[in-house]
Amino acid sequence: MARRRRSSSSIAFAAAATLGAGLAVTTVLFVAVTALEYGKMELSFQQRANVRAAAIQRGFIDAVEVLSITNQLFRTVEPVSREQFREFTRPLLERYPFVSAFNFHRVLTHPQKLAYEAAMRQQHADFAVRQMVGSEMRPAPESELYSVVDYLEPLQGNERAFGLEVLSNAAVRKAIDEMLDSGRPAATALLRLAQDAGAESGMVLLMPVFRHGAPTATPEQRRAAWMGDTGAVIRTTSLVYTILQGGGLLEDQQLVLGVYAGDPAQPANLVFSHGLQREDAQPDHLFWRWLSPEYHGSELKSFDVLGRPWHVRVEAKPRPFLTDHLGSLCTLVGGLLFSILAAAYVQSLVQRSRRVQLLVDARTADLQRSNERLIEDVAARKRAERKLQESEQRFRRLLALSSDWYWEQDANFCFTNVTGGFFEKGHIRKESYIGRTRWEAHPDMLQTKWGREHKALLESRLPFTNVEYSMRGDDGVERWFITSGEPVYDAQGEFRGYRGTGSEITERKLAEQRIQHIAHHDVLTGLPNRMLLQDRLSQAVAYANRSNHPIWVMLIDLDRFKFVNDSLGHKAGDQLLVTVASRLQTSLRASDTVARLSGDEFVAILSEYPDESLSPDIVQRVMSNLAQPVLLEGKEFFVTCSIGVAVYEGDAAAAQHLIEHADIAMYSAKKMGRNCFQFYQPAMNEEAQERLRIESALRKALEREEFVLHYQPQLDLESGEVMGMEALLRWQHPELGTVPPQRFIGLAEETGLILPIGAWVLRSACAQAKAWQDAGLPALRVAVNLSARQFSQPGLVDEIRGVLAQTGLPASCLEIELTESLFMNDVQQAVTLLHELKALGVTLSIDDFGTGYSSLSYLRNFPIDVLKIDRSFVSDIAHDAEDAAIVASIIALAHNLKLRVIAEGVESREQLDYLRRNGCHAMQGYYFSRPVAPRDFEQMLREGRNLGLAPLRTGTTG
């Protein structure tokens, strides 16, 4: 009874412990899931709030940018007519609907104001300069200075603002003072617009317009040069609504949105609202937040618009309880149910243990009966041991030969006994083997050479060892075996049959086949490798010679494969190669050979048959299949290829060079812009040989001192004097003559030779500039081009620092010329490197500006000093209005960014005059001098040659 009570007690304790543990785990999971739910809600809300705040801020930035564009018109054109202003602002109004109007405020003294009113009354009889008092428009009283709305677009709907004097408005006057003090655009506070009869408030963005050529470095100079300002009139509510509605950001009915121009605590600063506000506070405790369906988030985002603070408040509306808390509720209910079921299961297990005890006694009785049977088995084992002794000799032989089984045949070569698992390993039925010969069990054996030879050997009654053969089992799987045997004779010397051993060697044969496959196939793609390719090519050539049908050898090289490896990693590159290999095989016939030559190069051998002719459509089909998108690391990637095709038509001499010719044709396709194919022509081989000859000579050019530097002067367009020079590389080869840069610079980039060549150019140019200074000539700045390889080379800054220290040239006399494409791959790294170069004291310039990835962002972020206008824009500025406008815009942009401008390729007086009229700082080109040798350049400096410029005539620019 006591044991039963202890059992009952243990049962209650085990079930209670299980239930308690389940409830504890449920509680932990419930709290964790609840926290995740609120984390997800808060993250989602913050993301939506950030998107709306960013969209509104982007809209204000666009408004400031469009104001800057309008102001640029007055900086580049003098004077600006009313018609020009209308045509310039019309597309801007269509593109930016939140801008109510563009205007130009003209600054007038009192006498100028009277003359202005008289001139305007000739077009508008009742015109007068007015000011806004309350909501009424009254004539402007006499004042020392006026700022009048002179140009206004669109005029329709804004008539009340035309001729309005804005200095009398305190908000506008404050913004104008801020604008003139800082020299930057300014914005007014919220104000009532003259042209808006409604209650909607607005603001005006202002940007000063100064007299051309007047100094503007100090506030006093800016006020003296101030002739007016351009303005953009913004209805703030319409601006915010247009931005949010255009981006689909007002469709979320679960958000409450408020936009404030100033302190959000002041209701008067609210310019836009969407949805209903909530005022009731929510409890912070996690459990009560879970129970309360009223919980919501709140975010306040702030930013400045031309010095004016703006705030965006976003709040979340309450949501139904189950919308966001279904997971935690299911966790709680599921945990409770699981805990109860687990406790019940434990209770059932303990009850079952009682029944197990009852079965123990029954099993004991069974063991006694088993002992009796064991005694009988011992007697049977002794009988079996006697039989085993009789076959001991057989098994010893079996073990000596390390075989898996032993077999016997009678005098008719029929199997009488097979032991050791032959039938199980071979998946062969015993009744299909015992009493039958090997060739009766496997009739196809006599169809093979080894089968016929093996039968002849048995009939000759000779021993045999290590005979390898394959058989297909009843399961259809082919397996390999090895067998050895010897004839058996009785005491009288009569032949009684054969006996022997055998083993399964399937794994070994498969390993040998794999090794053979690896030796002739690419490990990654499974395609034939170079060794097997040569064998297949020899077979294809032999077939072509027999059939008089041509064969094609295609060499396929992937474009931009290095970009995949560098950006996505080698794993993605391997995946791309496997995909390309599969697509090549599916694009061609089963009889064609596709092999991987090396890296990203593949070779295909195509034979022509009587019923299948070869055509360029096959090559195009391969290119189209490879151009399909490939999914790498979760991203779609498009890969193209360049293909070279070599055709064999029975010329034995050409057969040895088919792959080489296809490779030459492929490089020709690369040079044509990639993503195309070319058939080999003998002229291509001559071009390849020329390239090889240039490369070989280029590798020895430095050590043979075949490079020289020529210098092209750069002249100041204000004084006409030489102010610097650009160092240009020339190659004087003893056999090839003067090799132009375009013939070897690209090859030097590809081979990496540009690094030692570039280092020589930098050192030689600095040494020459220092030598001229030491000779008493003016301290001119020398410009040296930097290649892409040099820019990405580690230690560039230290190398330039060392050259300056070695030659003694001041850093201010060295200008490093960079192309825009150099720093587009890794902008952040480029910013760091450029700042390190700038810290040395050298000048940084952008060469060929406008022909690459021109972007205002890098001009703002990078420490650039000089812009060089590319010769392609300068060549037609005297005849092409578009090129002229581009050059004028680049010059104006450089002036605004405080950068110097040098125009390249100036060859005529008309080009020179245009550049001077538009404020270009310097020029270089054939108009003054070609690049010349150092001796001629020194002579030019000693003679004091210059442009001999006449004073620039004043007038309108164009």
Side-chain angles (χ1 to χ4, degrees):
M1 293 295 292
R3 186 173 66 180
R4 184 170 299 177
R5 284 195 298 272
R6 287 196 299 270
S7 178
S8 300
S9 175
S10 63
I11 292 172
F13 176 77
T18 302
L19 181 61
L23 293 178
V25 172
T26 299
T27 302
V28 172
L29 289 176
F30 169 70
V31 173
V33 174
T34 301
L36 288 175
E37 289 172 343
Y38 276 98
K40 179 181 178 182
M41 294 168 58
E42 291 173 1
L43 178 60
S44 174
F45 169 71
Q46 290 174 358
Q47 290 176 341
R48 290 182 289 164
N50 289 337
V51 167
R52 285 154 177 78
I56 296 172
Q57 185 178 7
R58 180 70 252 178
F60 279 109
I61 293 174
D62 290 344
V64 174
E65 183 176 350
V66 75
L67 173 64
S68 176
I69 293 172
T70 306
N71 189 266
Q72 189 67 28
L73 175 66
F74 287 85
R75 295 190 182 190
T76 56
V77 179
E78 174 64 29
V80 177
S81 67
R82 198 177 301 277
E83 181 62 27
Q84 287 175 319
F85 186 79
R86 180 182 301 110
E87 293 300 321
F88 189 83
T89 56
R90 179 182 300 156
L92 297 179
L93 288 167
E94 294 175 356
R95 183 175 180 181
Y96 302 98
F98 51 78
V99 178
S100 300
F102 289 103
N103 54 42
F104 170 62
H105 299 149
R106 189 180 298 278
V107 177
L108 303 171
T109 61
H110 183 67
Q112 291 173 336
K113 176 243 183 187
L114 297 178
Y116 171 72
E117 286 181 326
M120 292 301 295
R121 287 193 184 102
Q122 295 179 4
Q123 302 177 16
H124 307 279
D126 57 347
F127 179 84
V129 175
R130 297 165 298 165
Q131 68 179 20
M132 187 173 179
V133 180
S135 60
E136 298 181 2
M137 304 297 290
R138 300 178 182 177
E142 182 176 346
S143 176
E144 188 174 327
L145 199 64
Y146 303 87
S147 180
V148 181
V149 178
D150 187 10
Y151 294 175
L152 179 62
E153 292 297 333
L155 186 60
Q156 184 176 0
N158 296 294
E159 293 85 351
R160 279 170 54 90
F162 183 55
L164 178 66
E165 200 285 313
V166 298
L167 279 178
S168 59
N169 188 298
V172 177
R173 182 60 181 256
K174 181 179 179 182
I176 291 175
D177 290 340
E178 294 175 355
M179 173 184 70
L180 295 178
D181 288 339
S182 65
R184 294 189 298 270
T188 69
L190 290 180
L191 49 78
R192 183 174 182 180
L193 300 176
Q195 60 266 48
D196 196 346
E200 182 178 355
S201 60
M203 62 185 295
V204 182
L205 308 180
L206 301 173
M207 193 169 182
V209 176
F210 301 111
R211 288 190 298 276
H212 282 248
T216 59
T218 65
E220 292 74 14
Q221 291 175 340
R222 288 193 287 272
R223 292 183 183 276
W226 181 44
M227 59 176 289
D229 50 72
T230 55
V233 180
I234 307 295
R235 288 184 172 90
T236 52
T237 303
S238 299
L239 170 64
V240 176
Y241 178 81
T242 301
I243 293 170
L244 296 177
Q245 182 67 23
L249 301 178
L250 293 178
E251 299 176 0
D252 193 341
Q253 301 301 321
Q254 295 299 321
L255 294 181
V256 177
L257 183 67
V259 181
Y260 298 85
D263 186 1
Q266 301 295 328
N269 291 336
L270 178 66
V271 300
F272 180 82
S273 64
H274 177 71
L276 301 175
Q277 298 286 348
R278 288 185 51 86
E279 299 178 355
D280 51 329
Q282 302 301 322
D284 293 331
H285 192 275
L286 183 63
F287 181 74
W288 291 112
R289 283 163 52 188
W290 185 81
L291 290 177
S292 172
E294 299 298 318
Y295 171 74
H296 72 290
S298 177
E299 285 285 330
L300 181 65
K301 303 292 181 180
S302 304
F303 55 88
D304 286 348
V305 179
L306 299 181
R308 303 292 180 188
W310 285 78
H311 306 276
V312 180
R313 185 187 299 279
V314 184
E315 297 184 359
K317 292 183 179 180
R319 292 164 59 87
F321 176 78
L322 287 179
T323 301
D324 301 300
H325 300 284
L326 184 60
S328 59
L329 184 60
C330 291
T331 300
L332 179 61
V333 174
L336 292 175
L337 291 176
F338 179 79
S339 299
I340 295 172
L341 292 176
Y345 178 70
V346 170
Q347 178 73 12
S348 67
L349 289 179
V350 177
Q351 292 290 345
R352 185 183 301 173
S353 67
R354 293 181 179 178
R355 294 192 294 270
V356 170
Q357 186 63 35
L358 297 176
L359 294 175
V360 171
D361 296 336
R363 293 293 183 265
T364 302
D366 292 340
L367 286 175
Q368 291 176 351
R369 290 190 293 270
S370 296
N371 286 335
E372 296 173 358
R373 296 191 189 100
L374 183 59
I375 294 172
E376 296 176 358
D377 291 341
V378 170
R381 179 174 297 179
K382 290 180 179 180
R383 293 189 297 268
E385 286 177 354
R386 287 193 297 268
K387 293 182 179 180
L388 289 174
Q389 290 174 358
E390 296 175 358
S391 3
E392 181 178 358
Q393 184 179 0
R394 300 172 184 172
F395 283 104
R396 285 181 180 177
R397 183 178 180 85
L398 180 66
L399 293 174
L401 295 175
S402 300
S403 302
D404 294 335
W405 52 78
Y406 174 82
W407 54 267
E408 294 178 347
Q409 291 177 338
D410 60 17
N412 296 319
F413 311 115
C414 295
F415 286 98
T416 58
N417 184 27
V418 181
T419 64
F422 169 75
F423 301 109
E424 292 79 5
K425 292 183 179 180
H427 290 265
I428 299 173
R429 290 179 292 108
K430 186 175 182 179
E431 55 270 20
S432 66
Y433 230 75
I434 301 299
R436 307 179 69 182
T437 63
R438 192 186 301 274
W439 47 87
E440 289 176 342
H442 298 283
D444 55 346
M445 172 183 166
L446 296 180
Q447 305 299 322
T448 63
K449 179 180 179 182
W450 85 268
R452 293 189 296 269
E453 292 177 349
H454 182 64
K455 181 180 180 183
L457 187 146
L458 291 178
E459 292 174 345
S460 301
R461 301 176 183 179
L462 297 174
F464 57 88
T465 57
N466 298 330
V467 175
E468 296 182 1
Y469 62 96
S470 64
M471 290 192 304
R472 192 173 302 276
D474 296 335
D475 57 354
V477 177
E478 185 178 31
R479 294 175 179 85
W480 281 87
F481 303 93
I482 186 171
T483 184
S484 299
E486 63 180 9
V488 178
Y489 298 90
D490 59 14
Q492 289 73 33
E494 293 291 332
F495 176 70
R496 295 300 183 184
Y498 269 89
R499 64 182 178 184
T501 59
S503 299
E504 183 188 7
I505 58 170
T506 303
E507 292 187 4
R508 192 190 80 187
K509 295 298 289 186
L510 292 177
E512 292 175 355
Q513 293 174 0
R514 284 195 295 270
I515 293 173
Q516 184 73 7
H517 184 273
I518 290 173
H520 294 87
H521 291 79
D522 177 56
V523 177
L524 177 63
T525 61
L527 295 177
N529 60 13
R530 188 185 296 268
M531 182 184 303
L532 184 56
L533 173 65
Q534 292 295 336
D535 180 68
R536 298 280 180 87
L537 182 58
S538 300
Q539 296 179 24
V541 169
Y543 168 78
N545 292 333
R546 292 193 309 269
S547 64
N548 292 325
H549 288 291
I551 64 170
W552 286 8
V553 174
M554 296 195 309
L555 195 145
I556 303 116
D557 184 86
L558 302 184
D559 303 327
R560 300 177 62 224
F561 177 73
K562 185 177 183 299
F563 172 75
V564 176
N565 272 343
D566 293 344
S567 59
L568 302 182
H570 289 281
K571 182 179 179 181
D574 290 346
Q575 181 184 347
L576 176 59
L577 290 176
V578 173
T579 303
V580 168
S582 175
R583 290 183 178 179
L584 286 175
Q585 289 178 306
T586 56
S587 301
L588 301 175
R589 302 164 300 185
S591 58
D592 297 329
T593 295
V594 179
R596 183 185 178 196
L597 194 61
S598 64
D600 60 339
E601 287 186 338
F602 297 84
V603 173
I605 303 174
L606 290 71
S607 298
E608 183 173 279
Y609 300 101
D611 57 343
E612 291 183 88
S613 60
L614 298 176
S615 69
D617 294 339
I618 300 175
V619 186
Q620 188 60 54
R621 183 173 68 239
V622 171
M623 297 188 64
S624 300
N625 286 351
L626 292 188
Q628 298 302 314
V630 181
L631 192 64
L632 300 176
E633 301 294 336
K635 301 176 182 176
E636 271 198 348
F637 187 84
F638 292 86
V639 62
T640 58
C641 66
S642 301
I643 299 179
V645 185
V647 180
Y648 175 73
E649 295 179 321
D651 183 1
Q656 302 176 0
H657 305 286
L658 281 173
I659 296 180
E660 178 184 342
H661 291 171
D663 186 54
I664 293 173
M666 182 273 293
Y667 273 105
S668 177
K670 289 272 190 186
K671 293 175 64 176
M672 294 183 64
R674 306 176 188 267
N675 194 22
C676 63
F677 63 89
Q678 286 288 300
F679 281 82
Y680 171 78
Q681 301 294 334
M684 295 179 180
N685 193 30
E686 297 175 4
E687 182 180 347
Q689 294 298 325
E690 169 71 7
R691 173 188 173 94
L692 205 58
R693 185 165 58 253
I694 291 291
E695 180 180 347
S696 177
L698 189 62
R699 293 185 181 276
K700 301 177 182 178
L702 264 182
E703 61 184 67
R704 293 178 177 176
E705 299 182 352
E706 295 173 358
F707 289 120
V708 295
L709 289 182
H710 285 191
Y711 298 88
Q712 186 172 34
Q714 297 174 338
L715 295 100
D716 187 278
L717 289 183
E718 183 175 351
S719 65
E721 301 292 334
V722 176
M723 45 77 71
M725 63 277 192
E726 181 179 1
L728 300 170
L729 182 64
R730 297 292 183 265
W731 182 12
Q732 301 290 345
H733 191 272
E735 297 177 1
L736 301 176
T738 301
V739 184
Q742 62 270 21
R743 190 175 171 189
F744 69 88
I745 290 296
L747 184 59
E749 283 276 2
E750 292 180 19
T751 58
L753 293 174
I754 195 66
L755 295 179
I757 294 174
W760 178 86
V761 170
L762 177 65
R763 185 168 57 255
S764 300
C766 291
Q768 181 65 74
K770 177 61 175 174
W772 282 332
Q773 292 181 14
D774 294 342
L777 296 175
L780 303 179
R781 185 163 57 220
V782 60
V784 178
N785 285 279
L786 206 63
S787 71
R789 281 285 188 99
Q790 288 178 281
F791 189 76
S792 59
Q793 179 188 15
L796 174 64
V797 178
D798 293 336
E799 179 183 350
I800 296 177
R801 183 186 293 110
V803 170
L804 292 174
Q806 180 183 358
T807 59
L809 182 70
S812 60
C813 293
L814 175 61
E815 177 179 321
I816 301 297
E817 290 193 2
L818 310 162
T819 57
E820 298 167 296
S821 60
L822 292 186
F823 34 77
M824 288 300 102
N825 290 333
D826 191 341
V827 176
Q828 187 59 44
Q829 180 182 2
V831 170
T832 303
L833 182 56
L834 290 178
H835 279 285
E836 291 178 0
L837 290 174
K838 189 63 180 175
L840 295 179
V842 302
T843 301
L844 300 178
S845 66
I846 300 297
D847 196 12
D848 302 334
F849 181 76
T851 62
Y853 305 90
S854 302
S855 170
L856 296 180
S857 62
Y858 75 70
L859 291 180
R860 180 184 61 194
N861 296 327
F862 294 171
I864 303 301
D865 302 295
V866 180
L867 292 183
K868 298 192 72 174
I869 304 176
D870 186 69
R871 64 181 67 250
S872 62
F873 298 125
V874 175
S875 60
D876 289 332
I877 56 176
H879 312 290
D880 191 322
E882 292 184 358
D883 282 353
I886 291 174
V887 171
S889 298
I890 294 176
I891 296 173
L893 175 65
H895 285 177
N896 291 334
L897 295 175
K898 311 302 182 187
L899 303 177
R900 289 184 57 79
V901 191
I902 299 178
E904 296 181 303
V906 179
E907 299 180 357
S908 67
R909 184 71 188 191
E910 291 82 0
Q911 296 169 353
L912 182 67
D913 292 341
Y914 181 86
L915 293 170
R916 293 187 67 201
R917 288 197 306 272
N918 284 274
C920 185
H921 299 110
M923 62 76 72
Q924 69 181 81
Y926 289 179
Y927 179 74
F928 181 76
S929 173
R930 293 173 175 268
V932 295
R935 182 179 57 185
D936 297 332
F937 189 85
E938 181 178 346
Q939 182 67 26
M940 183 189 307
L941 294 179
R942 294 191 182 280
E943 293 175 357
R945 288 177 54 190
N946 57 59
L947 287 171
L949 298 176
L952 185 64
R953 293 175 296 175
T954 60
T956 60
T957 62

